[in-house]
Amino acid sequence: MDKLSVDVLVIGGGIAGASVAANLTSKTKVVVVEAEEHPGFHSTGRSVAVYAPMYGSKVIRDITAMSSPLFKKAEDELSQAILSQRGFLFIAKKHQHQAMNNLRKELSKLSNLTHMNIEEAQKLVPAIKSQYVSEALFDPDAKDIDVSTLHHYYINQLRACGGKILLSQRVKKIEQIGSHYEVVCDTVTIFCNKIVNAAGAWADEIGQLAGCKKLGLKPLRRTAFSFEPDNWDYKDWPVVIDCEEEFYIKPETGSIIGSPADETEDIPRDVYAEEIDIAIGMDRITAALDFKVKSIQSSWAGLRTFTPDRDPVVGFDKKHKNFFWLAGQGGYGIQTAPYLGKLSSDLILGNTYSQTTEDSELITALSPNRFNK
Ligand SMILES: Cc1cc2nc3c(=O)[nH]c(=O)nc-3n(C[C@H](O)[C@H](O)[C@H](O)COP(=O)(O)OP(=O)(O)OC[C@H]3O[C@@H](n4cnc5c(N)ncnc54)[C@H](O)[C@@H]3O)c2cc1C
Protein backbone atom coordinates (compact mmCIF):
# COMPACT_ATOMS: atom_id res chain seq x y z
CA MET A 1 0.00 0.00 0.00
CA ASP A 2 1.45 3.39 -1.06
CA LYS A 3 1.38 6.25 1.45
CA LEU A 4 0.84 9.94 0.80
CA SER A 5 0.58 13.02 3.05
CA VAL A 6 -1.33 16.11 1.97
CA ASP A 7 -3.07 19.06 3.59
CA VAL A 8 -6.44 18.59 1.85
CA LEU A 9 -7.90 15.38 0.42
CA VAL A 10 -10.82 15.85 -1.99
CA ILE A 11 -13.03 12.78 -2.40
CA GLY A 12 -14.68 12.70 -5.85
CA GLY A 13 -13.25 13.86 -9.18
CA GLY A 14 -16.47 15.17 -10.77
CA ILE A 15 -16.98 18.86 -11.48
CA ALA A 16 -17.42 19.67 -7.76
CA GLY A 17 -14.21 17.99 -6.59
CA ALA A 18 -12.21 19.27 -9.56
CA SER A 19 -13.38 22.89 -9.12
CA VAL A 20 -12.56 23.09 -5.41
CA ALA A 21 -9.20 21.33 -5.91
CA ALA A 22 -8.25 23.74 -8.72
CA ASN A 23 -8.97 26.68 -6.42
CA LEU A 24 -6.96 25.19 -3.54
CA THR A 25 -3.94 23.92 -5.40
CA SER A 26 -1.81 27.07 -5.59
CA LYS A 27 -2.23 27.65 -1.85
CA THR A 28 -1.88 24.23 -0.27
CA LYS A 29 -1.01 20.60 -0.98
CA VAL A 30 -4.09 18.88 -2.35
CA VAL A 31 -4.94 15.49 -3.85
CA VAL A 32 -8.21 14.28 -5.40
CA VAL A 33 -9.22 10.62 -5.24
CA GLU A 34 -11.74 9.28 -7.72
CA ALA A 35 -13.20 5.78 -7.56
CA GLU A 36 -13.69 5.43 -11.31
CA GLU A 37 -11.16 5.22 -14.16
CA HIS A 38 -12.56 8.47 -15.62
CA PRO A 39 -13.33 11.53 -13.47
CA GLY A 40 -16.56 12.46 -15.31
CA PHE A 41 -18.06 8.97 -15.26
CA HIS A 42 -21.05 9.77 -13.03
CA SER A 43 -23.31 12.87 -12.93
CA THR A 44 -20.76 15.28 -14.42
CA GLY A 45 -20.51 13.29 -17.64
CA ARG A 46 -24.28 12.81 -17.91
CA SER A 47 -25.66 16.34 -17.66
CA VAL A 48 -27.43 18.06 -20.52
CA ALA A 49 -24.97 20.92 -20.16
CA VAL A 50 -27.19 23.97 -19.79
CA TYR A 51 -26.35 27.20 -17.97
CA ALA A 52 -29.79 28.54 -17.06
CA PRO A 53 -29.78 31.67 -14.86
CA MET A 54 -33.54 31.47 -14.25
CA TYR A 55 -33.62 27.79 -13.30
CA GLY A 56 -33.85 26.52 -9.71
CA SER A 57 -34.39 28.13 -6.32
CA LYS A 58 -33.36 31.70 -5.41
CA VAL A 59 -30.16 30.33 -3.82
CA ILE A 60 -29.32 28.39 -6.99
CA ARG A 61 -30.05 31.42 -9.17
CA ASP A 62 -27.78 33.60 -7.00
CA ILE A 63 -24.94 31.07 -7.18
CA THR A 64 -25.41 30.73 -10.93
CA ALA A 65 -25.19 34.52 -11.36
CA MET A 66 -22.06 34.62 -9.18
CA SER A 67 -20.52 31.89 -11.34
CA SER A 68 -20.94 33.97 -14.49
CA PRO A 69 -17.73 36.09 -14.16
CA LEU A 70 -15.79 32.94 -13.24
CA PHE A 71 -16.92 31.22 -16.45
CA LYS A 72 -15.65 34.33 -18.25
CA LYS A 73 -12.32 34.14 -16.40
CA ALA A 74 -11.89 30.50 -17.45
CA GLU A 75 -12.73 31.39 -21.07
CA ASP A 76 -10.18 34.23 -21.04
CA GLU A 77 -7.47 31.99 -19.60
CA LEU A 78 -8.17 29.25 -22.13
CA SER A 79 -8.84 31.65 -25.04
CA GLN A 80 -11.76 29.36 -25.75
CA ALA A 81 -15.53 29.62 -25.31
CA ILE A 82 -17.10 27.45 -22.59
CA LEU A 83 -20.57 29.00 -22.78
CA SER A 84 -22.39 29.48 -26.07
CA GLN A 85 -25.74 31.01 -26.94
CA ARG A 86 -28.87 28.88 -26.43
CA GLY A 87 -31.88 30.56 -24.68
CA PHE A 88 -34.57 28.97 -22.52
CA LEU A 89 -38.28 28.90 -23.32
CA PHE A 90 -40.82 27.88 -20.68
CA ILE A 91 -44.10 26.83 -22.28
CA ALA A 92 -47.55 26.48 -20.69
CA LYS A 93 -50.82 24.89 -21.71
CA LYS A 94 -54.08 26.74 -20.97
CA HIS A 95 -54.62 24.91 -17.68
CA GLN A 96 -51.06 25.84 -16.60
CA HIS A 97 -51.82 29.58 -16.61
CA GLN A 98 -51.59 29.78 -12.81
CA ALA A 99 -48.29 27.89 -12.80
CA MET A 100 -46.95 30.28 -15.44
CA ASN A 101 -48.10 33.27 -13.36
CA ASN A 102 -46.33 31.86 -10.30
CA LEU A 103 -43.16 31.37 -12.33
CA ARG A 104 -43.31 34.93 -13.69
CA LYS A 105 -43.77 36.29 -10.16
CA GLU A 106 -40.87 34.19 -8.86
CA LEU A 107 -38.60 35.36 -11.69
CA SER A 108 -39.85 38.97 -11.85
CA LYS A 109 -36.45 40.39 -10.81
CA LEU A 110 -34.73 38.96 -13.89
CA SER A 111 -34.86 41.79 -16.38
CA ASN A 112 -34.31 39.90 -19.61
CA LEU A 113 -37.42 37.72 -19.53
CA THR A 114 -40.10 38.15 -22.19
CA HIS A 115 -43.64 36.85 -21.76
CA MET A 116 -44.89 35.58 -25.13
CA ASN A 117 -48.07 34.48 -26.80
CA ILE A 118 -48.17 31.35 -28.94
CA GLU A 119 -47.33 33.16 -32.20
CA GLU A 120 -44.24 34.77 -30.67
CA ALA A 121 -43.12 31.45 -29.18
CA GLN A 122 -43.58 29.75 -32.56
CA LYS A 123 -41.26 32.31 -34.15
CA LEU A 124 -38.52 30.91 -31.90
CA VAL A 125 -39.60 27.27 -32.15
CA PRO A 126 -41.91 26.67 -35.14
CA ALA A 127 -42.52 23.05 -34.05
CA ILE A 128 -44.62 24.15 -31.04
CA LYS A 129 -48.20 22.99 -31.59
CA SER A 130 -50.80 25.81 -31.55
CA GLN A 131 -53.44 23.61 -29.94
CA TYR A 132 -51.06 22.63 -27.12
CA VAL A 133 -49.31 25.78 -25.93
CA SER A 134 -51.07 28.97 -24.87
CA GLU A 135 -48.22 31.13 -23.52
CA ALA A 136 -44.45 31.12 -23.00
CA LEU A 137 -41.65 32.84 -21.10
CA PHE A 138 -38.31 33.37 -22.82
CA ASP A 139 -34.89 33.97 -21.30
CA PRO A 140 -32.22 34.73 -23.91
CA ASP A 141 -29.39 34.42 -21.35
CA ALA A 142 -29.32 30.61 -21.07
CA LYS A 143 -26.23 29.02 -22.61
CA ASP A 144 -24.82 25.66 -23.60
CA ILE A 145 -21.89 24.63 -21.39
CA ASP A 146 -18.86 22.83 -22.77
CA VAL A 147 -18.70 20.61 -19.67
CA SER A 148 -15.65 18.62 -20.73
CA THR A 149 -13.60 21.78 -21.33
CA LEU A 150 -14.64 23.25 -17.96
CA HIS A 151 -13.91 20.00 -16.12
CA HIS A 152 -10.49 19.63 -17.75
CA TYR A 153 -9.69 23.30 -17.15
CA TYR A 154 -9.98 22.53 -13.42
CA ILE A 155 -8.09 19.23 -13.59
CA ASN A 156 -5.28 20.85 -15.60
CA GLN A 157 -5.08 23.74 -13.12
CA LEU A 158 -4.78 21.23 -10.29
CA ARG A 159 -1.97 19.35 -12.04
CA ALA A 160 -0.15 22.52 -13.17
CA CYS A 161 0.38 23.52 -9.52
CA GLY A 162 1.63 20.08 -8.46
CA GLY A 163 -1.73 18.72 -7.26
CA LYS A 164 -2.77 15.20 -8.19
CA ILE A 165 -5.89 13.33 -9.19
CA LEU A 166 -5.65 9.62 -8.40
CA LEU A 167 -8.06 7.54 -10.49
CA SER A 168 -9.46 4.08 -9.62
CA GLN A 169 -8.99 4.87 -5.93
CA ARG A 170 -12.20 4.27 -4.03
CA VAL A 171 -12.19 5.52 -0.43
CA LYS A 172 -12.90 2.50 1.78
CA LYS A 173 -12.10 3.61 5.30
CA ILE A 174 -11.70 6.94 7.07
CA GLU A 175 -10.13 7.11 10.49
CA GLN A 176 -9.71 10.24 12.56
CA ILE A 177 -6.48 10.33 14.55
CA GLY A 178 -6.42 13.45 16.71
CA SER A 179 -7.02 16.33 14.34
CA HIS A 180 -5.77 14.36 11.30
CA TYR A 181 -7.32 11.75 9.05
CA GLU A 182 -6.03 8.45 7.71
CA VAL A 183 -7.95 7.55 4.56
CA VAL A 184 -7.61 4.08 3.05
CA CYS A 185 -8.25 3.79 -0.71
CA ASP A 186 -7.78 0.82 -3.07
CA THR A 187 -3.98 0.92 -3.24
CA VAL A 188 -2.98 4.05 -1.34
CA THR A 189 -3.38 5.36 2.20
CA ILE A 190 -3.59 9.13 2.49
CA PHE A 191 -2.82 11.15 5.62
CA CYS A 192 -4.45 14.59 5.56
CA ASN A 193 -5.54 17.50 7.73
CA LYS A 194 -8.84 18.14 5.99
CA ILE A 195 -11.29 16.16 3.88
CA VAL A 196 -13.57 17.63 1.22
CA ASN A 197 -16.56 15.41 0.55
CA ALA A 198 -17.40 15.95 -3.14
CA ALA A 199 -18.64 12.40 -3.71
CA GLY A 200 -21.93 13.35 -5.42
CA ALA A 201 -24.59 10.68 -4.83
CA TRP A 202 -22.22 8.93 -2.40
CA ALA A 203 -21.68 11.98 -0.17
CA ASP A 204 -23.83 10.71 2.72
CA GLU A 205 -21.97 7.35 2.60
CA ILE A 206 -18.62 9.16 2.75
CA GLY A 207 -19.92 11.31 5.63
CA GLN A 208 -20.85 8.18 7.55
CA LEU A 209 -17.41 6.62 6.93
CA ALA A 210 -15.97 9.72 8.62
CA GLY A 211 -18.39 9.41 11.55
CA CYS A 212 -20.66 12.31 10.51
CA LYS A 213 -24.44 12.26 10.77
CA LYS A 214 -26.25 11.72 7.45
CA LEU A 215 -27.65 14.90 5.91
CA GLY A 216 -30.50 13.10 4.13
CA LEU A 217 -29.16 13.46 0.58
CA LYS A 218 -31.43 11.87 -2.04
CA PRO A 219 -30.10 10.73 -5.43
CA LEU A 220 -32.93 11.20 -7.95
CA ARG A 221 -32.61 9.51 -11.34
CA ARG A 222 -33.09 11.60 -14.47
CA THR A 223 -33.40 10.15 -17.96
CA ALA A 224 -32.14 11.71 -21.18
CA PHE A 225 -32.18 10.51 -24.78
CA SER A 226 -31.26 11.91 -28.16
CA PHE A 227 -33.19 11.78 -31.41
CA GLU A 228 -33.25 13.52 -34.76
CA PRO A 229 -36.62 14.82 -35.94
CA ASP A 230 -36.56 14.74 -39.73
CA ASN A 231 -38.80 17.75 -40.34
CA TRP A 232 -37.03 20.79 -38.79
CA ASP A 233 -33.84 22.83 -38.80
CA TYR A 234 -33.61 23.06 -35.01
CA LYS A 235 -29.97 23.77 -34.18
CA ASP A 236 -30.53 27.40 -33.10
CA TRP A 237 -33.70 26.81 -31.10
CA PRO A 238 -33.68 27.47 -27.35
CA VAL A 239 -34.20 24.80 -24.72
CA VAL A 240 -37.96 24.25 -24.51
CA ILE A 241 -39.21 23.27 -21.08
CA ASP A 242 -42.68 22.68 -19.66
CA CYS A 243 -43.34 25.40 -17.04
CA GLU A 244 -43.98 22.70 -14.41
CA GLU A 245 -40.95 20.73 -15.64
CA GLU A 246 -42.78 17.72 -17.02
CA PHE A 247 -40.35 17.44 -19.94
CA TYR A 248 -37.75 19.41 -21.85
CA ILE A 249 -35.82 19.36 -25.10
CA LYS A 250 -32.39 20.76 -25.81
CA PRO A 251 -31.33 21.13 -29.44
CA GLU A 252 -27.72 20.23 -30.26
CA THR A 253 -25.79 19.93 -33.49
CA GLY A 254 -27.09 16.79 -35.21
CA SER A 255 -29.71 15.79 -32.63
CA ILE A 256 -32.14 16.92 -29.97
CA ILE A 257 -31.81 15.81 -26.36
CA GLY A 258 -35.12 15.06 -24.68
CA SER A 259 -36.05 14.22 -21.10
CA PRO A 260 -39.24 13.44 -19.17
CA ALA A 261 -37.63 15.51 -16.38
CA ASP A 262 -38.10 12.51 -14.10
CA GLU A 263 -37.00 12.48 -10.47
CA THR A 264 -37.12 8.83 -9.46
CA GLU A 265 -35.66 8.01 -6.05
CA ASP A 266 -32.64 5.76 -6.50
CA ILE A 267 -29.49 4.68 -4.71
CA PRO A 268 -25.88 5.71 -5.39
CA ARG A 269 -24.94 3.56 -8.40
CA ASP A 270 -24.28 3.56 -12.14
CA VAL A 271 -27.83 4.20 -13.40
CA TYR A 272 -29.30 3.46 -16.83
CA ALA A 273 -32.27 4.85 -18.74
CA GLU A 274 -35.41 2.71 -18.40
CA GLU A 275 -37.53 2.11 -21.53
CA ILE A 276 -40.67 3.35 -19.77
CA ASP A 277 -39.08 6.71 -18.91
CA ILE A 278 -37.90 7.19 -22.50
CA ALA A 279 -41.42 6.38 -23.75
CA ILE A 280 -43.02 8.82 -21.28
CA GLY A 281 -40.56 11.53 -22.30
CA MET A 282 -41.14 11.02 -26.02
CA ASP A 283 -44.90 10.98 -25.50
CA ARG A 284 -44.88 14.32 -23.63
CA ILE A 285 -42.50 15.91 -26.13
CA THR A 286 -44.47 14.89 -29.21
CA ALA A 287 -47.72 16.08 -27.57
CA ALA A 288 -46.26 19.60 -27.45
CA LEU A 289 -43.97 19.67 -30.47
CA ASP A 290 -44.65 18.56 -34.01
CA PHE A 291 -41.80 16.08 -34.43
CA LYS A 292 -41.54 13.12 -36.75
CA VAL A 293 -39.11 10.81 -34.96
CA LYS A 294 -38.00 7.52 -36.50
CA SER A 295 -35.76 6.29 -33.72
CA ILE A 296 -33.96 7.13 -30.49
CA GLN A 297 -30.23 7.59 -31.19
CA SER A 298 -28.95 7.10 -27.65
CA SER A 299 -30.16 7.22 -24.07
CA TRP A 300 -28.68 7.51 -20.62
CA ALA A 301 -29.58 8.40 -17.05
CA GLY A 302 -27.77 10.10 -14.21
CA LEU A 303 -28.31 10.97 -10.58
CA ARG A 304 -29.21 14.47 -9.47
CA THR A 305 -28.58 14.46 -5.74
CA PHE A 306 -30.64 16.79 -3.57
CA THR A 307 -30.57 17.85 0.07
CA PRO A 308 -33.92 17.93 1.94
CA ASP A 309 -34.45 21.63 1.00
CA ARG A 310 -33.01 21.15 -2.53
CA ASP A 311 -30.18 23.68 -2.07
CA PRO A 312 -26.55 22.50 -1.98
CA VAL A 313 -24.60 21.89 1.18
CA VAL A 314 -21.27 23.70 1.46
CA GLY A 315 -19.30 24.00 4.68
CA PHE A 316 -17.56 22.21 7.53
CA ASP A 317 -19.47 19.56 9.45
CA LYS A 318 -20.85 20.76 12.78
CA LYS A 319 -19.14 18.06 14.83
CA HIS A 320 -16.21 17.05 12.62
CA LYS A 321 -14.50 20.39 12.19
CA ASN A 322 -12.05 19.29 9.47
CA PHE A 323 -14.63 17.51 7.34
CA PHE A 324 -16.04 19.74 4.58
CA TRP A 325 -19.28 19.02 2.67
CA LEU A 326 -19.64 20.04 -0.99
CA ALA A 327 -22.69 18.12 -2.16
CA GLY A 328 -26.39 18.22 -3.04
CA GLN A 329 -26.01 20.34 -6.19
CA GLY A 330 -29.05 18.57 -7.67
CA GLY A 331 -29.63 19.51 -11.30
CA TYR A 332 -27.41 22.59 -11.18
CA GLY A 333 -23.94 21.28 -10.33
CA ILE A 334 -22.26 22.34 -13.57
CA GLN A 335 -23.63 25.87 -13.78
CA THR A 336 -22.84 26.50 -10.09
CA ALA A 337 -19.41 24.80 -9.99
CA PRO A 338 -17.26 27.89 -10.66
CA TYR A 339 -18.60 29.84 -7.67
CA LEU A 340 -19.07 26.86 -5.33
CA GLY A 341 -15.48 25.72 -6.05
CA LYS A 342 -14.12 29.15 -5.19
CA LEU A 343 -16.33 29.65 -2.12
CA SER A 344 -15.41 26.20 -0.80
CA SER A 345 -11.71 26.89 -1.26
CA ASP A 346 -12.01 30.22 0.61
CA LEU A 347 -13.87 28.55 3.48
CA ILE A 348 -11.40 25.66 3.70
CA LEU A 349 -8.42 28.04 3.77
CA GLY A 350 -10.17 30.29 6.29
CA ASN A 351 -10.15 33.24 3.86
CA THR A 352 -12.73 35.87 4.54
CA TYR A 353 -11.11 38.69 2.57
CA SER A 354 -12.94 37.97 -0.67
CA GLN A 355 -16.34 37.53 0.88
CA THR A 356 -19.05 40.15 0.35
CA THR A 357 -22.40 40.42 2.17
CA GLU A 358 -23.89 38.32 -0.60
CA ASP A 359 -21.25 35.66 0.10
CA SER A 360 -22.02 35.72 3.84
CA GLU A 361 -25.75 35.28 3.28
CA LEU A 362 -25.07 32.37 0.97
CA ILE A 363 -22.65 30.76 3.43
CA THR A 364 -25.45 30.65 6.02
CA ALA A 365 -27.98 29.36 3.48
CA LEU A 366 -25.61 26.58 2.36
CA SER A 367 -24.32 25.49 5.76
CA PRO A 368 -24.65 21.76 6.57
CA ASN A 369 -25.67 22.81 10.09
CA ARG A 370 -29.16 23.61 8.81
CA PHE A 371 -29.81 19.85 8.76
CA ASN A 372 -28.00 18.89 11.97
CA LYS A 373 -29.44 21.25 14.56
C1 LIG B 1 -29.61 13.99 -16.86
C2 LIG B 1 -28.94 15.11 -16.09
C3 LIG B 1 -28.96 16.40 -16.62
C4 LIG B 1 -28.31 17.43 -15.94
N1 LIG B 1 -28.25 18.66 -16.53
C5 LIG B 1 -27.58 19.67 -15.93
C6 LIG B 1 -27.46 20.94 -16.56
O1 LIG B 1 -27.96 21.14 -17.67
N2 LIG B 1 -26.78 21.93 -15.91
C7 LIG B 1 -26.22 21.73 -14.67
O2 LIG B 1 -25.63 22.66 -14.12
N3 LIG B 1 -26.31 20.52 -14.06
C8 LIG B 1 -26.97 19.49 -14.65
N4 LIG B 1 -27.06 18.27 -14.04
C9 LIG B 1 -26.54 18.12 -12.68
C10 LIG B 1 -25.03 17.94 -12.67
O3 LIG B 1 -24.65 16.95 -13.61
C11 LIG B 1 -24.58 17.53 -11.26
O4 LIG B 1 -25.11 18.43 -10.30
C12 LIG B 1 -23.06 17.55 -11.12
O5 LIG B 1 -22.46 16.80 -12.15
C13 LIG B 1 -22.63 17.02 -9.77
O6 LIG B 1 -21.22 16.96 -9.77
P1 LIG B 1 -20.43 16.17 -8.65
O7 LIG B 1 -19.00 16.36 -8.92
O8 LIG B 1 -20.98 16.56 -7.32
O9 LIG B 1 -20.89 14.64 -8.85
P2 LIG B 1 -20.26 13.48 -9.75
O10 LIG B 1 -19.94 13.95 -11.11
O11 LIG B 1 -21.18 12.32 -9.63
O12 LIG B 1 -18.89 13.19 -9.03
C14 LIG B 1 -18.81 12.53 -7.79
C15 LIG B 1 -17.66 11.56 -7.90
O13 LIG B 1 -17.38 10.99 -6.62
C16 LIG B 1 -16.85 9.71 -6.87
N5 LIG B 1 -16.92 8.89 -5.67
C17 LIG B 1 -18.03 8.43 -5.04
N6 LIG B 1 -17.70 7.67 -3.99
C18 LIG B 1 -16.35 7.64 -3.94
C19 LIG B 1 -15.41 7.00 -3.09
N7 LIG B 1 -15.79 6.21 -2.06
N8 LIG B 1 -14.09 7.18 -3.34
C20 LIG B 1 -13.67 7.97 -4.37
N9 LIG B 1 -14.52 8.59 -5.21
C21 LIG B 1 -15.85 8.43 -5.00
C22 LIG B 1 -17.74 9.16 -7.98
O14 LIG B 1 -17.11 8.10 -8.68
C23 LIG B 1 -17.98 10.40 -8.84
O15 LIG B 1 -17.13 10.45 -9.97
C24 LIG B 1 -27.68 17.20 -14.69
C25 LIG B 1 -27.67 15.90 -14.16
C26 LIG B 1 -28.28 14.87 -14.86
C27 LIG B 1 -28.22 13.49 -14.28
Side-chain angles (χ1 to χ4, degrees):
M1 184 73 84
D2 291 335
K3 289 190 166 52
L4 197 64
S5 286
V6 290
D7 181 27
V8 182
L9 168 66
V10 177
I11 302 175
I15 197 79
S19 63
V20 64
N23 276 279
L24 285 167
T25 189
S26 63
K27 289 138 204 149
T28 193
K29 197 169 174 193
V30 54
V31 71
V32 178
V33 285
E34 166 53 53
E36 304 290 349
E37 273 177 50
H38 306 289
F41 182 77
H42 289 291
S43 302
T44 297
R46 304 175 192 212
S47 89
V48 299
V50 179
Y51 171 92
M54 80 312 288
Y55 188 45
S57 69
K58 163 94 171 57
V59 166
I60 291 292
R61 297 197 305 269
D62 286 349
I63 301 170
T64 304
M66 288 156 106
S67 291
S68 173
L70 300 171
F71 272 109
K72 175 85 178 65
K73 181 170 172 276
E75 289 178 326
D76 289 346
E77 283 174 22
L78 291 171
S79 303
Q80 186 184 339
I82 295 175
L83 299 180
S84 51
Q85 188 49 40
R86 177 56 59 196
F88 209 77
L89 186 72
F90 289 101
I91 55 172
K93 293 172 264 191
K94 242 197 188 104
H95 80 263
Q96 290 177 309
H97 181 62
Q98 191 52 49
M100 179 58 101
N101 269 352
N102 295 344
L103 187 66
R104 288 176 65 194
K105 211 187 268 169
E106 169 81 18
L107 300 178
S108 59
K109 290 217 173 78
L110 298 178
S111 56
N112 265 349
L113 296 182
T114 310
H115 185 227
M116 294 180 164
N117 61 27
I118 172 73
E119 287 79 22
E120 289 163 324
Q122 280 173 325
K123 278 192 190 133
L124 290 175
V125 182
I128 291 176
K129 291 182 180 171
S130 306
Q131 69 275 27
Y132 182 92
V133 174
S134 66
E135 58 187 315
L137 189 65
F138 179 58
D139 183 343
D141 292 334
K143 314 265 193 248
D144 289 348
I145 309 174
D146 183 339
V147 178
S148 173
T149 297
L150 181 68
H151 196 194
H152 283 93
Y153 163 72
Y154 291 132
I155 291 172
N156 292 340
Q157 257 187 354
L158 168 72
R159 289 182 173 141
C161 290
K164 283 186 183 154
I165 177 160
L166 307 178
L167 302 174
S168 305
Q169 293 292 346
R170 182 174 299 278
V171 169
K172 298 185 157 167
K173 193 172 157 211
I174 301 176
E175 201 173 337
Q176 196 168 358
I177 303 162
S179 59
H180 305 281
Y181 284 105
E182 185 179 315
V183 179
V184 180
C185 306
D186 283 292
T187 62
V188 62
T189 296
I190 299 170
F191 301 91
C192 61
N193 297 319
K194 290 172 187 155
I195 290 177
V196 179
N197 179 6
W202 289 262
D204 254 345
E205 288 183 5
I206 292 293
Q208 284 191 302
L209 277 185
C212 302
K213 261 173 94 174
K214 269 176 137 180
L215 298 184
L217 293 164
K218 280 212 170 96
L220 304 181
R221 192 177 71 240
R222 175 151 293 189
T223 308
F225 48 87
S226 68
F227 58 95
E228 192 184 355
D230 57 9
N231 44 337
W232 301 104
D233 177 12
Y234 51 79
K235 68 178 188 316
D236 295 326
W237 290 356
V239 169
V240 179
I241 183 164
D242 174 85
C243 71
E244 293 180 285
E245 207 172 337
E246 288 185 355
F247 69 87
Y248 61 81
I249 60 151
K250 182 202 176 194
E252 302 225 307
T253 311
S255 66
I256 288 182
I257 295 177
S259 173
D262 44 340
E263 292 197 341
T264 310
E265 270 195 43
D266 214 308
I267 53 167
R269 66 180 179 114
D270 180 10
V271 284
Y272 294 91
E274 308 237 339
E275 289 298 322
I276 181 73
D277 293 322
I278 299 171
I280 290 170
M282 209 61 225
D283 193 51
R284 291 177 185 169
I285 289 166
T286 49
L289 295 140
D290 182 16
F291 285 155
K292 289 183 181 57
V293 180
K294 286 200 194 98
S295 62
I296 300 291
Q297 288 176 338
S298 65
S299 62
W300 66 96
L303 295 171
R304 299 158 84 244
T305 299
F306 287 91
T307 65
D309 64 11
R310 291 179 73 94
D311 286 332
V313 70
V314 180
F316 282 106
D317 189 80
K318 192 175 181 183
K319 199 156 157 237
H320 297 262
K321 303 285 180 205
N322 291 323
F323 186 90
F324 191 92
W325 293 85
L326 172 55
Q329 297 89 336
Y332 324 96
I334 314 291
Q335 65 183 41
T336 54
Y339 179 76
L340 289 185
K342 183 179 178 309
L343 177 69
S344 299
S345 162
D346 281 349
L347 292 173
I348 291 160
L349 295 169
N351 291 344
T352 47
Y353 62 90
S354 62
Q355 288 165 17
T356 60
T357 318
E358 263 178 314
D359 289 319
S360 309
E361 283 171 12
L362 266 179
I363 290 164
T364 309
L366 297 173
S367 167
N369 297 341
R370 69 194 198 271
F371 302 118
N372 275 337
K373 292 233 164 90

